[in-house]
Amino acid sequence: GSKGQGGNHHSFYTAEMGAQAVEHLRMEGALQRALQRQEFLLYYQPVVDIGSGVVSGVEALLRWQPQDRPMVSPADFIPLAEETGLIVPIGDWVLETAMRQQVAWREAGLSPVRISVNLSARQFLGQDVAQRVAALLAGTGCDPAFLTLEITESVLMENPAAATETMGRLAAMGVQLAIDDFGTGYSSLASLKRFPIHSLKIDRSFVMDLTRDADDAAIVNAVIALAHSMKLNVIAEGVETDEQLAFLQRHGCDQMQGYCFSRPVEPGRIEAMLQPAKNFH
Ligand code: C2E
Ligand code: MG
Ligand code: MG
Ligand code: MG
């Protein structure tokens, strides 16, 4: 625009920052109203056992559907929600909704479905997440043995002492913990040893070029082998092609998520992919 033209640098930057601050406030207000108006929803992406092809779980992925505008992806609003603290009530809504969904599928006669929920840094380190999870488990009747909480490695490394304590409390409730986007942070696998982790999710950026880039193939291989030696379950994220899937299968990766099986979908579309419970006899 014409902002700042002919003006000095000081006023130029002030105007730019002012515009940014206004946009910031507008978005913050919109996010707040979105909660009140119930414009958030959860999509679910199947997590598939590579050996059997069975859908063993789903990952809950947040979506924002404003009334008269296209759906907004989490990448476009979670950073701001995190910055403003709105991630706490939004994250709480996500946890409760996912737990209720797990119960609803159980009550519909489906085999227990593991539900994975993403926790942001602020949610995990800033509030008493263990206490909230305990209260929501009690309130919803969700089975903790089929609940996984995903956190990124950077969250662990930001405050290892607090993270260890919180993870210990969650693990004691029977909840499983997964490291999301593994490989994108700076932690080594060995440094994860002190945390009570159940699964590692290999970041999509390594899976993407697996069949073309020998380095990525070597990294994925090494992660699978080392994770297994530490008795960790390994999930590959962002599997898009049959070639990638074949590679992962050959190298013993346990589970996968990706467009080659299914994109994240509405809960109603997940039901057809799940098995009926086999405990009727
Ligand atoms: P994430 O937890 O690593 O989730 C995986 C992302 O990869 C999802 O993006 C999913 O749609 C996408 N994906 C899955 N398979 C493929 C594939 O084969 N190809 C490609 N290109 N992408 C694939 P989405 O749903 O846009 O979510 C992005 C990120 O937003 C998530 O990454 C997570 O960090 C965050 N997020 C989503 N929901 C929540 C939530 O409820 N709470 C918090 N704190 N963060 C969330
Ligand atoms: Mg995730
Ligand atoms: Mg991920
Ligand atoms: Mg990711």
Side-chain angles (χ1 to χ4, degrees):
S2 60
K3 245 181 297 175
Q5 266 174 20
N8 61 36
H9 284 270
H10 181 260
S11 66
F12 173 81
Y13 286 114
T14 305
E16 280 300 301
M17 281 158 62
Q20 247 183 41
V22 167
E23 169 61 14
H24 212 94
L25 276 173
R26 194 194 64 74
M27 270 289 282
E28 188 178 348
L31 277 175
Q32 228 147 20
R33 280 191 301 279
L35 257 176
Q36 289 152 9
R37 293 178 182 165
Q38 306 185 314
E39 292 176 350
F40 290 114
L41 64 157
L42 293 184
Y43 270 27
Y44 295 89
Q45 185 178 38
V47 178
V48 183
D49 276 346
I50 290 184
S52 65
V54 167
V55 175
S56 58
V58 294
E59 178 175 8
L61 293 160
L62 184 59
R63 297 290 182 263
W64 174 18
Q65 176 62 79
Q67 270 158 18
D68 316 306
R69 278 174 297 134
M71 187 116 80
V72 187
S73 96
D76 294 330
F77 67 87
I78 284 188
L80 183 70
E82 177 91 10
E83 208 177 300
T84 57
L86 277 168
I87 194 66
V88 174
I90 295 172
D92 217 62
W93 177 86
V94 171
L95 269 170
E96 177 166 5
T97 305
M99 288 191 198
R100 288 195 187 288
Q101 185 64 67
Q102 189 221 60
V103 174
W105 279 329
R106 185 177 70 214
E107 287 177 348
L110 298 165
S111 288
V113 190
R114 169 163 305 285
I115 290 201
S116 297
V117 177
N118 294 284
L119 295 184
S120 78
R122 188 145 174 180
Q123 233 184 324
F124 186 73
L125 296 171
Q127 62 155 7
D128 195 348
V129 72
Q131 196 182 313
R132 271 314 288 159
V133 168
L136 288 169
L137 284 170
T140 60
C142 169
D143 183 349
F146 288 92
L147 177 66
T148 295
L149 299 177
E150 298 188 2
I151 49 180
T152 58
E153 18 168 359
S154 54
V155 173
L156 292 188
M157 298 310 153
E158 202 175 311
N159 189 345
T164 307
E165 213 233 296
T166 299
M167 293 177 93
R169 290 177 63 194
L170 290 166
M173 294 173 212
V175 171
Q176 291 190 353
L177 297 158
I179 302 302
D180 204 352
D181 303 345
F182 185 76
T184 57
Y186 298 98
S187 56
S188 65
L189 257 177
S191 70
L192 294 180
K193 234 173 33 185
R194 62 181 134 150
F195 301 108
I197 295 160
H198 187 270
S199 304
L200 276 189
K201 301 188 75 168
I202 303 178
D203 192 67
R204 175 158 62 87
S205 58
F206 300 106
V207 175
M208 208 155 56
D209 293 323
L210 196 60
T211 51
R212 286 187 298 260
D213 184 323
D215 291 336
D216 285 346
I219 290 168
V220 168
N221 247 332
V223 170
I224 294 171
L226 262 161
H228 281 167
S229 75
M230 291 167 63
K231 306 268 191 294
L232 297 174
N233 180 57
V234 188
I235 304 161
E237 297 191 298
V239 182
E240 293 188 352
T241 68
D242 291 346
E243 290 74 27
Q244 290 162 354
L245 179 58
F247 179 99
L248 293 161
Q249 202 160 23
R250 264 200 319 278
H251 292 89
C253 186
D254 303 294
Q255 291 166 322
M256 67 95 174
Q257 283 176 252
Y259 295 173
C260 84
F261 186 85
S262 171
R263 286 177 180 258
V265 295
E266 293 147 65
R269 291 179 56 194
I270 288 289
E271 272 143 54
M273 303 179 208
L274 299 172
Q275 314 258 317
K278 289 183 194 103
N279 54 356
F280 291 116
H281 40 84

